[in-house]
Amino acid sequence: MATRFLIEGRVQGVGYRMWCREEAARRGLTGFVRNLSDGRVEALVAGPTAMVDDFLAVCRKGPPGANVTAIGLEPTQDDPDTDTFLILPTR
């Protein structure tokens, strides 16, 4: 099972997606991250629960320049369909 993160705040234009990919890879997580046209960042994250929880904790802070104000979480049956963590085009 995977978790969808909807990250709000100043999260576009600050390197959040690249930072997110590095943090996910560091934890052995799979999935993707992408900007949304409404200014949020969406991530679909799959992996061991402890690693997803750890990833969530660092996502609440984000990279330098980011100001995360909220993260919505949504368990999902969606399969990331990848063995890595990708940056996808804006949706």
Side-chain angles (χ1 to χ4, degrees):
M1 188 157 89
T3 303
R4 183 176 316 279
F5 292 27
L6 292 171
I7 305 154
E8 299 178 34
R10 187 178 54 210
V11 292
Q12 291 190 15
V14 295
Y16 199 97
R17 291 174 301 151
M18 284 67 67
W19 173 86
C20 199
R21 181 181 58 195
E22 291 170 11
E23 293 295 328
R26 190 171 292 145
R27 290 162 178 80
L29 300 171
T30 61
F32 66 80
V33 63
R34 65 179 159 204
N35 285 339
L36 297 177
S37 59
D38 65 5
R40 296 179 297 169
V41 168
E42 174 189 31
L44 182 67
V45 183
T49 301
M51 290 293 100
V52 173
D53 290 346
D54 186 58
F55 181 68
L56 172 60
V58 299
C59 283
R60 291 190 190 284
K61 181 170 173 112
N67 181 22
V68 177
T69 58
I71 298 180
L73 300 175
E74 178 179 303
T76 179
Q77 296 297 326
D78 292 347
D79 181 358
D81 197 30
T82 180
D83 58 355
T84 61
F85 200 87
L86 306 170
I87 296 175
L88 298 182
T90 299
R91 184 181 87 171

